[in-house]
Structure formats: structure tokens, C-alpha cells
Amino acid sequence: MKQLQEKILTDGKVLSESVLKVDSFLNHQIDPSLMHEIGDEFAARFGNEAITKILTIESSGIAPAVMLGLNLGVPVVFARKRKSLTLVDQLYTASVHSFTKNETNEISVSKDFIKSDDVVLIIDDFLANGQAALGLVDIVEQADAALAGIGIVIEKGFQTGGSMIRNRGIRVESLAIISSMANGKVEFHQEVPSV
């Protein structure tokens, strides 16, 4: 997605060879116009999948997931990372390790919101080592729901998550795939890997 790549090049900040800061448009401050375009692009890629629910993880996956949900006319469910007084029983749970934050969280989703007859699309902001995506896949599997695939805003193609998930036969559609951030410069894959 050319517009996203341009935004990464102009507003993203490479903090190291493995860390990209995009808080000016995705992770802290949100660019609504870009999120609208991202929602449209995911709809174009997954619109024929009979999706009934979109699943993401709080908090940075929520904006692109909501834009897609609005486009497809389906609800968005987000997995919580923190315990809630109102979310206490009848939960699907999975452990997810964040390499960026160096912490493991138990994510949870109410069983009220994902059922066995759902066709679920997972949306997230980043794919690096694949732990968040796999935690969400685990929740879909616990619900005995169908998985339509995974939509990723930015994939770090030089890390193992994308290939690990694709090798499981799961469809992954990434809007921007970074091949390198060496020497503080973002370089993109020219072709999107397929399943």
C-alpha cells in the first residue's frame, strides 16, 4: 500500500534495526484519513470471505479494525490485555509475549462475542515475531470459529512471525512489509509473500 509506505518513510522513526516508531499516525496519535484507506484496503483484500467478526488486540489494532468493521458492516472485538471488573468469566484466554515491551500478558475475549458459527478476520498493527497474532489465532480456535486470515498494517519481514504463520497455512495480508531497517533506513519488500 503505497500511501502507508510513504507515511512510514516520512513520519516513522527507526529506533534500532528492529524497532520502528510510528506513534505519530498509528500507535499514539491516529491519522483518520490513513486509517480509512487502510480499512478500504483490507476490505478489498478480504471482502469476499463472508467475515462476521473482526478480532484485534488492544490497543493499536483497534483503529484499523474499526475502519474495516465500518467498511464491512461487522462488529469488532478486541482482546483485552488487562483484567477488567466486568470481564471475569466465560472467557477465551491466551498468553502473548511482547518483545517490544519484554512482558507477557494474558489476553482475554468474552465467549459472548465469538461463537463457533463466526468467520473471524484478525487485524493487528504490527507483525514481528508473531506472538500477538498466534494468541489471537488460539482464541479463534478455542471458539471453534473459522479463521478467514490475518491482516497486518506493518510486517517486519526480516523477523520470523510472518513466515511462521504462513507456514501454518494461514492467509496473511500485510499492507507494508519491511525487509530491513539497517543504518536507520526503512526498506520495503517489493512483492508481498503469499500463503
Side-chain angles (χ1 to χ4, degrees), residues 17-36:
E17 290 191 358
S18 63
V19 178
L20 175 65
K21 186 175 182 179
V22 290
D23 64 347
S24 68
F25 62 91
L26 180 62
N27 296 117
H28 194 57
Q29 174 174 273
I30 296 170
D31 179 333
S33 296
L34 179 62
M35 287 307 113
H36 187 267

Side-chain angles (χ1 to χ4, degrees), residues 9-194:
L9 292 174
T10 58
D11 294 3
K13 294 180 179 136
V14 177
L15 300 184
S16 72
E17 290 191 358
S18 63
V19 178
L20 175 65
K21 186 175 182 179
V22 290
D23 64 347
S24 68
F25 62 91
L26 180 62
N27 296 117
H28 194 57
Q29 174 174 273
I30 296 170
D31 179 333
S33 296
L34 179 62
M35 287 307 113
H36 187 267
E37 294 295 320
I38 286 170
D40 288 348
E41 183 64 26
F42 281 135
R45 294 184 187 204
F46 289 103
N48 294 327
E49 296 294 327
I51 294 160
T52 61
K53 296 281 172 72
I54 298 167
L55 177 63
T56 190
I57 192 167
E58 68 176 350
S59 64
S60 297
I62 295 173
V66 166
M67 290 299 192
L68 175 58
L70 185 62
N71 193 308
L72 297 179
V74 301
V76 174
V77 178
F78 65 89
R80 291 182 176 262
K81 294 180 189 174
R82 292 159 195 82
K83 298 286 184 201
S84 167
L85 293 175
T86 61
L87 196 65
V88 291
D89 45 68
Q90 300 298 315
L91 303 175
Y92 302 117
T93 62
S95 290
V96 173
H97 182 75
S98 168
F99 289 90
T100 307
K101 296 177 183 171
N102 194 26
E103 63 185 24
T104 300
N105 290 298
E106 183 174 88
I107 61 170
S108 56
V109 171
S110 171
K111 291 182 178 182
D112 292 336
F113 301 128
I114 299 180
K115 305 289 187 183
S116 61
D117 60 346
D118 279 316
V119 177
V120 180
L121 175 62
I122 293 170
I123 296 290
D124 206 3
D125 61 336
F126 271 96
L127 175 59
N129 292 299
Q131 297 305 301
L134 288 174
L136 294 171
V137 167
D138 184 17
I139 285 174
V140 173
E141 290 172 347
Q142 288 176 51
D144 289 323
L147 178 62
I150 300 174
I152 299 295
V153 178
I154 302 169
E155 178 179 342
K156 295 177 185 175
F158 55 90
Q159 290 183 291
T160 61
S163 60
M164 178 177 55
I165 293 167
R166 287 180 182 94
N167 288 340
R168 287 183 59 178
I170 297 171
R171 178 182 175 191
V172 178
E173 293 282 343
S174 299
L175 303 187
I177 302 177
I178 297 171
S179 59
S180 172
M181 295 191 299
N183 303 314
K185 184 175 185 255
V186 174
E187 294 181 17
F188 297 100
H189 277 290
Q190 296 306 310
E191 293 184 27
V192 177
S194 59

